[in-house]
Amino acid sequence: MPSRRVLLVCLIAFAAAIAGVFVGRLATDTPRASETELHALLHSQLDLTAAQKVRIDTIEADFVGRRRALEQEMRAANVALAQAIEAEHGYGPRVTEAIDHSHRVMGTLQKETLEHLFAMRAVLDRDQARMFDKSVVKALTADAR
């Protein structure tokens, strides 16, 4: 029986380590290249008018706070998942609920990010929007490669 106990402790330690790495990456991750590329495109390559710059800056400023709040909620969801794993020592109802909550928060962040992108796109003229669309597609498919 001691070998089963050692195996259980190893599994719990492994799960906690994975959760810790995930939380750590969320807390310290720098913006992805795709986000940086989109902002560089908006601010340097699209030749925005002064009015467009003001509107886009406002849209970005509004989104920064919301994104930070959702990222904070994701970190909290990961802590809750780690606690559920520690409490249940298996794939039980608390672990399932913690995973579902984490997925809901991630989905909300993705939806709100897209709403943010579409709000910025609405500020652009037709030619700017065409360039923006190409950059968005490039950024989204770059992560898939």
Side-chain angles (χ1 to χ4, degrees):
M1 287 300 172
S3 63
R4 285 184 65 181
R5 188 173 300 211
V6 170
L7 179 61
L8 181 62
V9 169
C10 288
L11 286 173
I12 292 169
F14 180 74
I18 294 296
V21 168
F22 190 71
V23 170
R25 287 197 61 185
L26 284 175
T28 62
D29 212 8
T30 57
R32 294 184 314 215
S34 59
E35 293 175 29
T36 306
E37 290 170 17
L38 287 174
H39 284 104
L41 173 77
L42 276 171
H43 295 291
S44 66
Q45 298 174 19
L46 288 183
D47 195 30
L48 300 173
T49 66
Q52 286 175 314
K53 286 179 185 178
V54 167
R55 289 178 63 198
I56 286 176
D57 286 347
T58 301
I59 291 167
E60 286 183 327
D62 290 344
F63 183 63
V64 166
R66 184 64 182 140
R67 184 180 73 202
R68 282 189 187 138
L70 287 167
E71 288 170 347
Q72 177 91 18
E73 190 175 347
M74 284 178 59
R75 285 190 288 278
N78 286 328
V79 169
L81 174 58
Q83 291 170 341
I85 289 169
E86 186 176 19
E88 291 186 329
H89 303 294
Y91 200 84
R94 284 183 60 190
V95 171
T96 301
E97 176 52 37
I99 291 169
D100 290 344
H101 176 69
S102 177
H103 288 176
R104 285 190 300 273
V105 175
M106 284 188 277
T108 300
L109 177 59
Q110 185 176 35
K111 289 173 188 175
E112 291 190 24
T113 299
L114 288 173
E115 289 173 0
H116 163 72
L117 287 175
F118 287 125
M120 289 191 300
R121 186 187 186 282
V123 173
L124 306 175
D125 67 29
R126 186 177 309 162
D127 291 333
Q128 291 168 329
R130 199 173 3 260
M131 286 181 66
F132 183 79
D133 291 348
K134 286 180 185 178
S135 293
V136 169
V137 169
K138 179 182 173 187
L140 290 173
T141 57
D143 288 340
R145 290 182 219 158

